[in-house]
């Protein structure tokens, strides 16, 4: 059986190597999860939630070890402290709302002589296929509510962050979850496809590329297994004429370049009203030029390497194509000495003179590059924001709430932000449209994805 290897983007050395699970181990994990779930579904919701809170405490207790370990695996600077702020917020939120979200639904029209209600039953066995870019947050979005709802969970983590799965397992074990209820599995892509295609799991949550999502759908074909897919994005921002300019610049620079741009909902294209355009670009370029590219283990570093060299190569190619077609690159890579061709270290880049014939404005970048276009008003901005095969989030930057709601009603994305970006609110559904995927996580709707309705129609006497 082949090994799963993590190569650190810091220096290209092998950080971790794990053998892929044997077929016998996979079968044992599935059988163990099934057995554990039969008892777990009978445990009261409050008790399940208490176990999940113990898991949270166990994970938080490891945070000092986890932050540098995460930097070594995927390159996020240690100065940002990992992911546990959002991690804790999401876990506590789903715990707090669980009783209400999972309560029976009672029809409003009472009928004498009958008891009628809809229960939310757990699906059974949930498979989470997690990505490397936010390896804790993306996984816990499904794992926490799945367990609280009465399911068992199998976790397959990305090769780039293979150690995160082990952290989840250790925290679950310390939390005292029933044996087998949660299992971290080291799997190849082929093994993952075979597991899904076997019909052995009852729900698959996948976060990753569009091609990865298509592979998951092909694997599940004919099994009727429900899927939750969060795939690619090309998230836009629109800076309206009435925007708070300085506020928009500061937030959008962070939204574009945090995590080296490797965010599902990171800002990849910006449309600015012509009355603010020149000042916006000047401020955006100035703030971007202040980033410090370097070793993510150094506290002074504000921009780490991309997770893999091939990701940086793709961005370099998009920048070259745009410049060849007439775009202007505002950031001189010479100001970022760590930027070297053939490595994951890549300076941030701001492009103007761009249009939608260029891949940097059309295809997912998932890196530290952003294109900025001038627009005449709302209708032009709206048309450009919707000119995409993706639809995860969009952000608008006005002072006018009514205008934001009007624009939001026409924007083709799963989430619309006003005066913020690059954030998941656990009280709202995290979802996308078009090639960004299907299904939803978090919020009450996230619980509905992880359960099935069961109707009771009981006649008295």
């Amino acid at each position: 059986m082949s090994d799963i290897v993590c190569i650190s983007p810091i220096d290209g050395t092998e950080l971790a190597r794990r053998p892929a699970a044997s077929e016998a181990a996979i079968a044992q994990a599935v059988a163990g999860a099934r057995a554990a779930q039969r008892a777990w579904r009978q445990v009261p919701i409050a008790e399940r939630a208490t176990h999940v809170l113990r898991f949270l405490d166990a994970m938080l207790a490891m945070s000092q070890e986890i932050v540098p370990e995460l930097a070594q695996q995927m390159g996020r600077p240690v100065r940002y402290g990992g992911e546990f702020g959002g991690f804790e917020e999401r876990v506590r939120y789903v715990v707090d709302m669980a009783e209400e979200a999972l309560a029976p639904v009672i029809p409003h029209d009472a009928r004498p002589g009958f008891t009628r209600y809809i229960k939310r039953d757990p699906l059974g066995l949930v498979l989470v296929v997690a990505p490397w870019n936010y390896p804790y947050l993306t996984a816990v979005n499904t794992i926490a509510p799945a367990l609280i709802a009465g399911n068992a969970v199998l976790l397959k983590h990305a090769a780039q962050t293979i150690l995160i799965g082990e952290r989840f397992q250790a925290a679950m074990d310390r939390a005292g979850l029933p044996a087998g209820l949660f299992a971290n599995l080291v799997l190849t892509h082929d093994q993952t496809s075979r597991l899904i295609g076997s019909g052995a799991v009852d729900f698959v949550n996948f976060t990753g590329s569009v091609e990865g999502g298509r592979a998951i759908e092909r694997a599940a074909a004919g099994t009727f297994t429900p899927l939750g897919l969060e795939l690619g994005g090309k998230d836009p921002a629109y800076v309206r004429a009435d925007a708070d300019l300085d506020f928009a610049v500061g937030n959008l620079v962070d939204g574009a370049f945090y995590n080296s741009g490797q965010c599902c909902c990171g800002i990849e294209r910006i449309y600015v009203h012509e009355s603010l355009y020149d000042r916006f670009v000047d401020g955006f370029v100035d703030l971007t030029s202040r980033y410090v590219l370097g070793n993510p283990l150094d506290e002074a570093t504000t921009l780490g390497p991309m997770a893999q060299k091939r990701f940086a190569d793709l961005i370099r190619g998009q920048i070259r194509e745009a410049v060849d077609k007439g775009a202007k690159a505002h950031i001189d890579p010479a100001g970022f000495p760590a930027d070297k061709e053939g490595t994951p270290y890549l300076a941030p880049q701001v492009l103007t003179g761009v249009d939608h014939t260029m891949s940097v404005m059309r295809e997912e970048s998932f890196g530290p590059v952003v294109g900025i276009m001038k627009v005449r008003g709302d209708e032009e901005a709206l048309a450009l924001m919707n000119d995409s095969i993706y639809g995860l989030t969009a952000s608008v930057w006005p002072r006018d709430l009514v205008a934001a709601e009007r624009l939001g009603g026409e924007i083709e994305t799963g989430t619309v932000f006003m005066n913020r970006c690059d954030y998941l609110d656990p009280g709202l559904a995290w979802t996308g449209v078009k090639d960004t995927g299907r299904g939803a996580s978090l919020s009450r709707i996230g619980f509905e994805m992880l359960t099935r309705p069961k109707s009771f129609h009981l006649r008295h006497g």
Side-chain angles (χ1 to χ4, degrees), residues 89-90 137 141 230 265 417 422-427 430 441-442:
E89 178 190 26
R90 295 178 197 183
L137 289 171
N141 286 349
E230 188 207 315
C265 54
F417 295 108
D422 193 23
Y423 173 75
L424 272 71
D425 182 334
W430 191 244
S441 61
L442 300 176

Side-chain angles (χ1 to χ4, degrees), residues 85-351:
F87 189 96
E88 182 174 7
E89 178 190 26
R90 295 178 197 183
V91 172
R92 293 196 185 281
Y93 197 98
V94 297
V95 164
D96 289 345
M97 71 177 298
E99 293 275 7
E100 180 183 352
L102 296 169
V105 178
I106 301 173
H108 70 277
D109 56 328
R111 296 184 181 179
F114 292 89
T115 296
R116 299 151 62 236
Y117 58 93
I118 305 166
K119 279 184 64 182
R120 303 297 317 184
D121 274 3
L123 293 175
L125 180 51
V126 172
L127 172 64
V128 177
V129 183
W132 53 264
N133 66 315
Y134 281 90
Y136 287 97
L137 289 171
T138 52
V140 86
N141 286 349
T142 298
I143 290 172
L147 290 172
I148 296 169
N151 299 288
V153 176
L154 301 178
L155 171 63
K156 183 271 178 197
H157 226 299
Q160 192 65 45
T161 45
I162 199 67
L163 299 178
I164 275 73
E166 295 174 9
R167 292 289 185 179
F168 269 91
Q169 187 70 68
M172 293 292 182
D173 293 345
R174 291 173 191 172
L177 261 73
L181 188 68
F182 175 91
N184 173 55
L185 287 175
V186 177
L187 303 176
T188 66
H189 292 323
D190 286 345
Q191 285 179 313
T192 305
S193 293
R194 288 198 298 274
L195 176 59
I196 295 168
S198 71
V201 299
D202 301 303
F203 181 82
V204 180
N205 174 265
F206 171 78
T207 304
S209 69
V210 173
E211 282 309 308
R214 290 192 175 114
I216 296 288
E217 285 200 323
R218 286 194 294 269
T223 67
F224 306 117
T225 304
L227 306 176
L229 304 174
E230 188 207 315
L231 310 177
K234 194 71 186 172
D235 289 13
Y238 169 39
V239 181
R240 204 165 177 262
D242 60 336
D244 180 332
L245 183 63
D246 292 340
F247 181 77
V249 167
N251 281 270
L252 287 171
V253 168
D254 181 69
F257 299 124
Y258 185 79
N259 207 39
S260 298
Q262 298 168 132
C263 301
C264 301
C265 54
I267 296 298
E268 296 207 357
R269 51 198 176 107
I270 302 174
Y271 307 99
V272 183
H273 190 272
E274 58 188 1
S275 64
L276 299 179
Y277 179 80
D278 290 338
R279 285 184 292 150
F280 180 88
V281 170
D282 288 345
F284 198 96
V285 170
D286 175 66
L287 196 52
T288 301
S289 67
R290 301 182 198 179
Y291 276 90
V292 178
L293 175 66
N295 188 320
L297 297 173
D298 185 341
E299 285 284 348
T301 295
T302 58
L303 193 74
M306 298 191 70
Q308 294 183 22
K309 169 188 169 297
R310 65 187 177 93
F311 301 149
D313 289 344
L314 180 126
I315 304 301
R316 289 185 170 103
Q318 286 188 331
I319 293 168
R320 280 194 293 268
E321 183 224 28
V323 171
D324 287 346
K325 288 185 173 181
K328 178 181 178 180
H330 288 262
I331 303 296
D332 183 353
F336 297 82
D339 180 316
K340 289 184 173 57
E341 193 84 28
T343 77
Y345 289 88
L346 177 65
Q349 189 54 267
V350 181
L351 300 171

